[in-house]
Every structure is written in structure tokens, then in C-alpha cells.
Amino acid sequence: MKKYLLVILATALFPCVLFAQEEIDESGFFSPEFNWHIGIPPGFTKVDPESWDLQKGIQDSLQVDSITLANAPKTILAFKSNDYNYFESNWQPYNTKVRGDYNDHCQAVSKQLYHTFAEQIPDAQIDTASSVQIIGTLEFKKFVLKMTLPNGVTLSSHMYNRLFDDKEFSANLFYTNDDQGTLLMEAWLYSRFE
């Protein structure tokens, strides 16, 4: 009788154990290349990197900008709650001997991002700030752009970059909903690079 109870109990618990394991796997991500752990907030879903690149039109921009596929950004992770609240991380090769000083590069990218938004939406109010942010024990360049549209909607973009040897790592947070933005920010700020 005890044997049958143990079999029934094990059979009943096995799916629960599997479900719990799936929950842990789905709520986090690990990149062995950067030795990076990040939790995915509740209500957000992972997006397949290839699908994310297609959605952003990376292949089209490569053709327009004549960037080689070898130097194109490679998506590491993307997750979102909808099209206006998302996190993405990517990397691309960065050779300081060819491309120059990395600080100058970051400043140029920030200026280009600001000017692109200012030209495309001239009636928007745009505020920017640059600083340094520590994530775990690592220092990242941080650029924040907040744009208030004429209809009152505010778009927030937070960009974090750093070099890992000859690879530029970038994490980008974009949100229109402040509650969703808080979840994205907590996931990123509490992520670990080991």
C-alpha cells in the first residue's frame, strides 16, 4: 500500500517539479559570452533574436548603410510587454584602432539619436542626460532620452554601453508606461556580470 501511495505522490508531484523548472528557466536569462545573468520581469515575454532583428529591420538597414554583416549588431536578448515597453541587448565588434576612441563614439551615437528624434518629431519636447552607471561591479556609459509628444505621451529611452575587450555590449530600455519602465529598470540594474 505504501508503494502505491509513493507512486501516486511521485506521479502527482512530477508535473509540478517540471512546471517549477520551466518557471525558473523562463524568468531568467544567461549569456555565457558575457557571463551575464538577468531576470525577466513578470508580464514580459522573450522575443527570439532573429525575429527581433527582422522586426527592427536590421537587414534593411544593413543594405542602406552598407554595413557588413560581420560588423552588424547581434541581438543577445529581447523581451517586451508590448511594442512600446521593451528591453534589448546586443553586441558588435569594436576595434579602437579602426573606429577610434570609445568615449567619442558613445558621444557621437548619443548626439545622432537626439538629432534623429528632433528632426523627425520637431514638436516634441526632448530632454537628455549622460552619465556613468555601475551594474554589478562594471561601469557602463549611460544615455537617457525622454521625449514628450504633443499629445502628452512620454517616451523614455535608456541606453547603456561598454566595451568587453573588442566587443561593444549595449542594453537598451524603451518604455511609455512608467510602471513597466520600473520593472525593466529593476531587471537591468539587478542583473549580474560575473
Side-chain angles (χ1 to χ4, degrees):
M1 183 70 166
K2 285 184 181 178
K3 254 186 177 176
Y4 292 116
L5 284 175
L6 286 174
V7 169
I8 291 170
L9 184 60
T11 306
L13 289 177
F14 186 69
C16 296
V17 171
L18 284 179
F19 178 74
Q21 184 63 40
E22 287 175 11
E23 282 285 309
I24 292 168
D25 290 344
E26 285 302 310
S27 65
F29 175 82
F30 174 69
S31 166
E33 188 163 15
F34 295 96
N35 209 13
W36 172 49
H37 298 265
I38 185 169
I40 298 174
F44 285 80
T45 55
K46 280 193 228 179
V47 181
D48 177 63
E50 289 79 22
S51 300
W52 186 253
D53 290 345
L54 287 174
Q55 180 180 340
K56 292 184 346 183
I58 290 215
Q59 294 301 325
D60 296 337
S61 67
L62 290 177
Q63 293 172 0
V64 170
D65 295 336
S66 300
I67 299 172
T68 65
L69 196 56
N71 292 330
K74 294 160 185 63
T75 300
I76 302 167
L77 170 67
F79 55 86
K80 65 179 187 170
S81 66
N82 62 40
D83 288 339
Y84 302 106
N85 301 291
Y86 65 83
F87 174 94
E88 71 167 319
S89 61
N90 57 58
W91 74 271
Q92 64 183 6
Y94 192 93
N95 183 335
T96 54
K97 292 177 183 172
V98 174
R99 299 182 68 187
D101 182 71
Y102 186 65
N103 291 326
D104 293 343
H105 164 74
C106 290
Q107 289 176 356
V109 169
S110 299
K111 286 179 185 176
Q112 182 180 2
L113 186 62
Y114 170 80
H115 288 299
T116 299
F117 278 115
E119 288 172 8
Q120 291 184 0
I121 310 170
D123 296 336
Q125 177 186 350
I126 302 174
D127 295 313
T128 63
S130 295
S131 62
V132 172
Q133 177 77 52
I134 302 296
I135 306 295
T137 59
L138 300 179
E139 188 175 286
F140 285 79
K141 307 276 183 213
K142 175 181 176 183
F143 178 71
V144 177
L145 182 144
K146 290 196 178 204
M147 178 170 58
T148 304
L149 301 174
N151 65 1
V153 172
T154 299
L155 309 172
S156 297
S157 171
H158 297 246
M159 186 170 59
Y160 299 84
N161 299 4
R162 79 167 272 123
L163 282 181
F164 286 84
D165 297 322
D166 61 348
K167 294 178 181 174
E168 178 184 25
F169 176 96
S170 178
N172 303 293
L173 295 76
F174 183 88
Y175 60 91
T176 57
N177 177 294
D178 287 338
D179 292 335
Q180 299 291 303
T182 298
L183 292 173
L184 290 170
M185 196 62 66
E186 287 174 353
W188 168 241
L189 293 176
Y190 293 114
S191 69
R192 306 183 319 274
F193 293 85
E194 297 176 345

